[in-house]
């Protein structure tokens, strides 16, 4: 790939170098750890996390619970990083090895350690074709849909309030093919391409305060087909009010393969109104070539206000998933590599990040635009009327349809008071019938439908909302629904 297109900024580099010298001297005096907590104005930080924090960013590492008995590993994590992503412990095979049986021991180990150190925690990952327990492959479409929603609800529910950002869907796009082509997986085969949207909607309902990310590799080049596909999906989601807050660029790279338009790529995603996070950075190589590549990636992030943080996919080369490429910032003996210094220098040289980084707030103003093949269609625009008093309202939206059937999402919104338990009713106009329903409990039959909350989503804060969904037989319909709360 080409050389770094970023404008040379000798001034910043000089400042960064001076800061490093100061940091080095302070480190000798044994105060580097203290600097991690707060860095005096004008001084350089001596650790990655503290340096990133100066511009309002985080610097994280993927951590494996299985290595937490290595004291140097944990000490390096604690000293250098202010964020973490569990490397494997939150994946579907780890958290729900058999259907409905959830296991969080290893992930909890990482989460509680991170919390005790005040670190940000990225959740990785909820819906991914890989590291999927075998029982998922045998499900029917309606079973898979409810299993996916149930998995999201339980895992996000377990960590509710503790996770900064979730990789809701991971690696759904294909590596080849036309723009917008999804990878064939159990999810596309049984649920269709709309599974991504369904997952994001369920995720928003499960933890409204976590940022919701789409995460993928090989979306680092601004013009690659795969990148364009993800870009179009996010643009469409934002236009239609499908909840999404961030895109994760995994960035598994090698020294020669950092795209020349990497910064432009970050900027184009940010311009869609989402945060950009570099989520799994590792760069194969060594010496100055590797250091230069790391510097370019770091500078590309710090140059874009909505690039909010970087996570490297491991701490030491010896535990890396691609160990033979020596792709990380610390060697096998936890010595800082040249790449480490380049990153620290670049982080220290960044100007403070003043960009607003709004937390999640479901967008309820859809305005359909182009429909890449990841979006269910047709889409009808809900226009929820805010209820008054303690009442609730419900709006039915068609999110997918096919000959003889359709799929809908129902948004249940609380008024100016919190709701504790809700019941939504409507009447089908022409013989429709629900075939599968999730995030709610159906009673009755025939043309009059009654759906009450599930055990986990009955409480809705004032002004907030939750959703349930269903697939149905018949032609798509969006009857007026009423909502009552006891
Ligand atoms: O824990 C078992 C161990 O008990 C067993 O003896 C051993 C035998 O192979 O396997 C161990 O599990 C391995 C696990 O890592 C923990 O080390 C799995 O085989 C191995 O497949 C798994 O690899 C992980 C890989 O995802 C799986 O796809 C890597 O650690 C992890 O770094 C990697 O991370 C992914 C991201 O989640 C998504 N993006 C790409 C990235 C790199 O592949």
């Amino acid at each position: 790939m080409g050389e770094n297109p970023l404008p040379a900024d000798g001034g910043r580099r000089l400042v960064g170098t001076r800061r490093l010298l100061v940091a080095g001297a302070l480190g000798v005096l044994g105060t580097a750890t203290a600097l991690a907590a707060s860095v005096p104005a004008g001084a350089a930080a001596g650790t990655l996390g503290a340096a990133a924090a100066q511009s309002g960013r985080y610097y994280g590492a993927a951590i494996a619970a299985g290595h937490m008995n290595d004291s140097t590993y944990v000490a390096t994590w604690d000293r250098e990083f202010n964020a973490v992503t569990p490397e494997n412990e939150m994946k579907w095979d780890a958290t729900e090895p058999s259907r409905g049986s959830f296991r969080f021991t290893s992930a909890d180990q990482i989460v509680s350690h991170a919390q005790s150190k005040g670190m940000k925690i990225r959740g990785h990952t909820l819906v991914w074709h890989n590291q999927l327990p075998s029982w998922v492959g045998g499900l029917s479409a309606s079973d898979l849909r409810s299993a996916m929603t149930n998995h999201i609800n339980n895992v996000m529910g377990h960590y509710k309030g503790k996770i900064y950002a979730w990789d809701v869907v991971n690696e759904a796009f294909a590596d080849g093919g036309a723009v917008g082509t999804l990878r064939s997986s159990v999810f596309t085969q049984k649920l269709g391409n709309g599974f991504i949207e369904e997952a994001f909607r369920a995720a928003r309902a499960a933890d409204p305060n976590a940022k919701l990310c789409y995460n993928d590799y090989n979306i680092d080049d601004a013009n690659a087909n795969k990148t364009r596909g993800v870009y179009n999906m996010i643009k469409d989601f934002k236009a239609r009010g499908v909840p999404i807050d961030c895109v994760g660029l995994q960035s598994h790279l090698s020294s020669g393969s950092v795209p020349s338009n990497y910064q432009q790529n970050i900027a184009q995603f940010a311009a869609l109104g989402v945060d950009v996070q570099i989520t799994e950075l590792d760069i194969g190589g060594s010496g100055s070539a590797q250091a230069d590549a790391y510097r370019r990636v770091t500078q590309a992030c710090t140059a874009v206000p909505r690039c909010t943080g970087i996570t490297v996919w491991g701490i030491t080369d010896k535990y890396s998933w691609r160990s033979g490429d020596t792709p990380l910032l610390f060697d096998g003996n936890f010595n800082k590599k040249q790449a480490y210094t380049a990153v620290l220098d670049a982080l220290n040289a960044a100007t403070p990040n003043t960009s607003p980084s709004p937390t999640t707030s479901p967008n309820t103003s859809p305005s359909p635009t182009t429909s890449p093949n990841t979006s269910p269609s047709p889409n009808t625009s809900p226009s929820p009327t805010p209820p008054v008093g303690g009442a609730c309202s419900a709006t039915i939206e068609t999110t997918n349809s096919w000959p003889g059937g359709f799929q809908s999402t129902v948004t249940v919104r609380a008024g100016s008071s919190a709701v504790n338990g809700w019941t939504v009713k409507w009447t089908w106009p022409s013989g429709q019938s629900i075939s599968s329903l999730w995030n709610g409990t159906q009673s009755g039959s025939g043309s009059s439908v009654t759906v009450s909350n599930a055990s986990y989503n009955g409480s809705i804060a004032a002004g907030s909302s939750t959703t349930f969904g269903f697939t149905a037989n018949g032609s798509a319909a969006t009857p007026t629904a009423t909502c009552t709360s006891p």
Side-chain angles (χ1 to χ4, degrees):
M1 288 287 176
E3 282 309 296
N4 185 0
L6 302 181
D9 189 342
R12 277 196 186 184
R13 293 268 180 88
L14 279 176
V15 170
T17 306
R18 179 181 56 75
R19 286 175 166 177
L20 263 183
L21 291 171
V22 173
L26 289 174
V28 169
L29 293 173
T31 54
T33 308
L35 282 173
S38 93
V39 181
T47 66
L48 301 169
Q54 292 179 124
S55 67
R57 296 182 171 85
Y58 65 85
Y59 206 93
I63 289 291
H67 297 314
M68 284 178 67
N69 55 0
D70 179 336
S71 58
T72 315
Y73 179 75
V74 175
T76 310
W77 174 24
D78 290 350
R79 186 189 71 231
E80 293 289 343
F81 299 93
N82 58 2
V84 65
T85 306
E87 186 172 356
N88 290 299
E89 294 75 0
M90 288 183 174
K91 293 171 180 175
W92 198 321
D93 62 350
T95 52
E96 194 184 1
S98 55
R99 190 172 184 181
S101 222
F102 289 87
R103 195 174 63 178
F104 297 109
T105 320
S106 300
D108 282 353
Q109 204 185 336
I110 297 173
V111 167
S112 41
H113 185 92
Q115 281 193 304
S116 75
K117 303 289 176 188
M119 296 179 182
K120 276 191 160 64
I121 302 163
R122 296 194 78 265
H124 175 81
T125 176
L126 296 165
V127 180
W128 186 27
H129 65 278
N130 209 346
Q131 284 176 284
L132 205 53
S134 54
W135 62 266
V136 176
L139 300 178
S140 67
S142 63
D143 249 7
L144 177 61
R145 177 167 281 116
S146 57
M148 181 178 84
T149 309
N150 191 50
H151 182 75
I152 290 170
N153 283 332
N154 276 278
V155 179
M156 288 188 79
H158 182 78
Y159 292 110
K160 194 168 182 174
K162 298 180 178 175
I163 304 294
Y164 166 69
W166 269 106
D167 292 330
V168 177
V169 176
N170 195 44
E171 302 176 5
F173 280 72
D175 284 307
V179 172
T181 306
L182 294 193
R183 165 195 309 279
S184 176
S185 70
V186 64
F187 300 108
T188 55
Q189 286 157 18
K190 296 195 176 155
L191 305 183
N193 292 352
F195 85 91
I196 304 178
E197 173 170 345
E198 288 183 47
F200 273 86
R201 289 189 186 279
R204 177 68 92 220
D207 184 356
N209 293 317
K211 286 178 182 286
L212 307 181
C213 300
Y214 175 77
N215 191 50
D216 215 329
Y217 64 89
N218 277 353
I219 56 168
D220 308 301
D221 183 325
N223 300 319
N225 273 8
K226 191 169 173 183
T227 311
R228 308 272 6 128
V230 174
Y231 178 92
N232 289 344
M233 176 188 74
I234 294 173
K235 186 175 179 189
D236 173 62
F237 277 17
K238 295 297 283 183
R240 292 190 300 109
V242 179
I244 187 165
D245 307 302
C246 36
V247 59
L249 310 184
Q250 292 186 7
S251 299
H252 294 294
L253 300 166
S254 58
S255 298
S257 76
V258 182
S260 57
N261 56 24
Y262 189 77
Q263 181 181 319
Q264 179 197 330
N265 188 39
I266 294 173
Q268 73 173 353
F269 278 116
L272 292 176
V274 290
D275 288 349
V276 181
Q277 298 168 7
I278 299 173
T279 51
E280 302 183 16
L281 180 63
D282 53 13
I283 306 179
S286 61
S288 61
Q290 185 181 47
D292 284 347
Y294 263 105
R295 180 182 298 108
R296 286 179 48 201
V297 167
T298 311
Q299 289 175 331
C301 178
T302 60
V304 180
R306 282 199 86 152
C307 184
T308 58
I310 298 174
T311 303
V312 279
W313 205 241
I315 294 179
T316 162
D317 285 339
K318 77 170 163 180
Y319 296 149
S320 165
W321 72 291
R322 50 186 293 217
S323 189
D325 296 337
T326 60
L328 294 172
L329 300 177
F330 294 85
D331 71 16
N333 294 315
F334 293 95
N335 295 313
K336 295 170 182 173
K337 295 163 64 176
Q338 206 174 327
Y340 170 94
T341 308
V343 170
L344 186 66
D345 189 355
L347 291 172
N348 271 318
T351 49
N353 192 357
T354 52
S355 136
S357 176
T359 44
T360 57
S361 70
N363 178 353
T364 50
S365 52
S367 61
T369 54
T370 54
S371 263
N373 67 3
T374 52
S375 59
S377 62
N379 177 54
T380 55
S381 308
S383 50
T385 311
V388 291
C392 51
S393 67
T395 314
I396 303 177
E397 175 190 9
T398 305
T399 52
N400 205 347
S401 71
W402 52 90
F406 61 103
Q407 180 186 328
S408 298
T409 295
V410 183
T411 302
V412 183
R413 186 173 293 280
S416 54
S417 301
V419 154
N420 195 8
W422 46 262
T423 298
V424 173
K425 295 184 177 182
W426 69 87
T427 303
W428 289 123
S430 45
Q432 290 86 351
S433 62
I434 289 179
S435 49
S436 163
L437 183 126
W438 56 96
N439 287 349
T441 310
Q442 188 181 0
S443 55
S445 57
S447 63
S448 294
V449 180
T450 302
V451 178
S452 298
N453 58 277
S455 58
Y456 48 80
N457 65 358
S459 299
I460 312 174
S464 295
S465 63
T466 190
T467 60
F468 67 90
F470 60 82
T471 52
N473 302 312
S475 54
T478 51
T480 302
T482 60
C483 181
T484 53
S485 169

